[in-house]
Amino acid sequence: VDDEENQIDVIISEENCKNILGIIEKMSPKLRDVLYFRCVANMECSEIAKMLSISTQQVYVRLYRARQTLMKKKKQFIIC
C-alpha cells in the first residue's frame, strides 16, 4: 500500500508541476521573466533591476503580481 501511495503522490506532484509551469507560461513576459530570474536563476532583485533597466521597486511589484497570479490559479488543482 505504501508503494501505491508513493506512486500516487509522485503522479500528483508531476501534475502540479505541469499545472504551475502552464500558469507561468501564460503570464506576461514582464512577470514571467522576473519570476524566472529570481526563483530559477537565483538573482538578487537589484541585479534583475539592472539587467531589465527598471527600478528595484518595480522588480518587487512584478514578483508580487506573479506570486499573486500563482496563488489565485493554484486553487484550480490539488496541492498535497
Side-chain angles (χ1 to χ4, degrees):
V1 176
D2 285 341
D3 286 339
E4 234 176 81
E5 287 178 8
N6 287 338
Q7 288 175 339
I8 291 171
D9 289 345
V10 168
I11 290 169
I12 290 172
S13 292
E14 288 174 0
E15 191 63 30
N16 284 340
C17 284
K18 288 177 188 174
N19 287 327
I20 291 168
L21 289 174
I23 293 167
I24 292 170
E25 287 173 0
K26 291 177 185 174
M27 286 181 186
S28 72
K30 288 181 178 183
L31 299 183
R32 184 178 57 236
D33 291 348
V34 170
L35 190 64
Y36 172 82
F37 293 134
R38 182 71 180 128
C39 297
V40 177
N42 207 24
M43 293 174 66
E44 295 293 326
C45 290
S46 59
E47 294 175 293
I48 298 168
K50 270 187 186 175
M51 189 174 70
L52 298 177
S53 300
I54 60 175
S55 70
T56 304
Q57 185 62 36
Q58 191 60 42
V59 171
Y60 292 129
V61 168
R62 290 180 186 183
L63 281 172
Y64 174 80
R65 290 179 181 161
R67 290 177 180 137
Q68 288 300 106
T69 300
L70 281 173
M71 295 301 286
K72 287 178 187 175
K73 302 278 183 171
K74 81 172 189 175
K75 293 177 183 176
Q76 298 173 359
F77 52 92
I78 301 168
I79 294 190
C80 295

